[in-house]
Amino acid sequence: MTEDVKTTIEGRVGRITLNRPKALHALTLEMCHAMSAALTSWATDDAVEAVMIEHAEGSRGFCAGGDITFLRNSALNDGGVSGRKFFHDEYQLNHQLFTYTKPVIAFMDGITMGGGVGISQPASIRIATENTRFAMPETGIGLFPDVGGGWYLSRLGGRIGQFLALTGARLDGAECLWTGLATHYLPSDMIDDAKTRIFDNPARASGILSELAPSPPEARIEANADKIAKHFASDRYEDILTSLEGDESGWAAKERDTLGTKSPQTCKVALRQLAESAKLTDFADNMAMEYRIASRVLTRPDFAEGVRAVIVDKTGDPAWDPATPAGVSDELIDSIFAPLPSDEEWKPLA
């Protein structure tokens, strides 16, 4: 059992505590396996009525994502073999949480990005705080909004999901509540009290949180909702860029400039991903689709280059390939979404 995840039973609740603070609790393969093993054990344990996912104290991250440096090394050094293994098993954990028969409660108290989205959004109760910073920033590193991102973002309404997927915009806790990405908002200084009460009576978790919660702050994104719905209405990336360019407002210029820094390949993948996911009725089908994408974009040029520019060298100057939206052909996107050989397709945990 890895020390990066602590699993205990408190009262009637199985407690998963992410404990990798120096990396803002970014997930490793071992962490995914430890969480999955605990969930499997608790599923048949009558003493456990609910599961709580949280982070250890003293860190500003709930979970900042997956182990991106590990994935880049895989792309560069082993042809993506170990990276695909990570995605495969992480996605099994995401699906296990989504289909779990007992309530899952996630305290998104801090940076919640990428892999952190994948382990919090399946929860039936999702608590945001003033510390929450929620984002799917994958377009900036040449990956794509995975871990179920296609499913969650495509179902937000008002094209908010497409906006988040393309721009990597960060939402605060109040914005998470307004969009539905969180079910409750709670000041962080009330979390310990909430947890103590939930340990004793998990069946009343939602009521406990509602009783404790004050009125949330205003959600800043609400003021821009009409603009987002208008400019991000199309599933064609070039249409979105044209729409923003035709608006002389400062907001539109800022979002257009932001998109200019993102991987054109990833932006087109994300729009196709959300459009396809919105048609699906089974989360497992979504994860199979996302694994097909992951297995291919992992070793395409943009991922290693994006991680280099943003995380390794921190130069912020990725040289995308293709460099422009026009250079990302429909044939390329089709190849990224194509089925894998039957023995390589993703499958849920048995």
Side-chain angles (χ1 to χ4, degrees):
M1 183 70 73
T2 175
E3 288 298 307
D4 292 339
V5 172
K6 296 179 179 178
T7 56
T8 56
I9 297 176
E10 303 279 349
R12 292 182 252 172
V13 176
R15 190 176 189 180
I16 295 174
T17 306
L18 305 179
N19 187 41
R20 194 177 173 227
K22 289 183 179 178
L24 299 178
H25 313 294
L27 300 175
T28 64
L29 185 61
E30 292 74 22
M31 291 169 73
C32 293
H33 289 166
M35 295 169 71
S36 191
L39 290 166
T40 299
S41 172
W42 293 335
T44 54
D45 186 343
D46 292 340
V48 175
E49 296 178 11
V51 171
M52 181 182 293
I53 305 176
E54 61 180 6
H55 69 83
E57 292 183 10
S59 170
R60 59 192 179 89
F62 163 70
C63 175
D67 194 338
I68 292 296
T69 303
F70 164 81
L71 291 170
R72 180 175 187 264
N73 288 338
S74 171
L76 294 175
N77 299 316
D78 68 14
V81 173
S82 58
R84 285 190 288 273
K85 170 66 173 172
F86 175 84
F87 284 129
H88 182 276
D89 293 8
E90 181 188 24
Y91 294 2
Q92 286 189 326
L93 170 63
N94 300 146
H95 180 267
Q96 185 180 16
L97 284 164
F98 190 93
T99 57
Y100 207 61
T101 56
K102 299 180 180 183
V104 178
I105 304 160
F107 279 89
M108 299 156 46
D109 178 37
I111 292 170
T112 305
M113 297 184 183
V117 173
I119 60 171
S120 60
Q121 284 304 299
S124 51
I125 296 176
R126 305 177 298 279
I127 302 100
T129 74
E130 76 279 7
N131 298 323
T132 301
R133 294 294 178 270
F134 179 105
M136 293 297 275
E138 288 81 6
T139 52
I141 57 169
L143 196 56
F144 73 107
D146 65 332
V147 294
W151 183 278
Y152 305 119
L153 296 179
S154 67
R155 286 160 174 77
L156 289 183
R159 303 296 287 186
I160 297 285
Q162 286 76 8
F163 168 74
L164 296 176
L166 293 177
T167 65
R170 298 186 181 193
L171 302 186
D172 63 25
E175 291 174 305
C176 287
L177 182 67
W178 185 82
T179 57
L181 291 162
T183 59
H184 298 78
Y185 180 91
L186 198 66
S188 59
D189 60 6
M190 302 177 77
I191 284 179
D192 287 346
D193 184 21
K195 288 178 180 178
T196 299
R197 298 190 195 191
I198 291 169
F199 291 146
D200 291 335
N201 196 352
R204 280 209 67 245
S206 186
I208 290 167
L209 292 162
S210 297
E211 290 163 11
L212 289 173
S215 297
E218 282 188 30
R220 294 172 304 167
I221 196 172
E222 185 177 3
N224 296 319
D226 289 346
K227 288 178 267 192
I228 290 169
K230 173 186 175 183
H231 291 303
F232 288 79
S234 179
D235 286 329
R236 186 173 178 271
Y237 187 43
E238 288 86 347
D239 292 346
I240 292 171
L241 296 175
T242 299
S243 183
L244 289 168
E245 286 163 359
D247 183 334
E248 296 181 359
S249 71
W251 180 89
K254 180 174 83 66
E255 299 306 337
R256 176 64 185 88
D257 289 347
T258 294
L259 292 178
T261 68
K262 307 302 185 184
S263 159
Q265 169 194 287
T266 303
C267 290
K268 288 199 173 185
V269 164
L271 285 171
R272 167 88 171 263
Q273 173 197 357
L274 268 61
E276 294 291 333
S277 183
K279 305 171 190 173
L280 299 176
T281 57
D282 187 336
F283 188 69
D285 292 338
N286 179 83
M287 298 317 297
M289 174 183 70
E290 293 190 5
Y291 182 70
R292 292 169 182 171
I293 302 169
S295 69
R296 294 180 171 114
V297 300
L298 176 65
T299 53
R300 285 198 50 78
D302 276 8
F303 177 60
E305 171 62 5
V307 177
R308 177 206 65 77
V310 175
I311 294 171
V312 179
D313 296 340
K314 295 182 168 61
T315 52
D317 61 348
W320 302 123
D321 179 15
T324 65
V328 182
S329 67
D330 292 343
E331 290 75 19
L332 171 57
I333 299 300
D334 287 344
S335 72
I336 289 172
F337 280 78
L340 291 162
S342 59
D343 61 337
E344 295 178 22
E345 289 276 22
W346 179 88
K347 296 178 180 64
L349 275 174

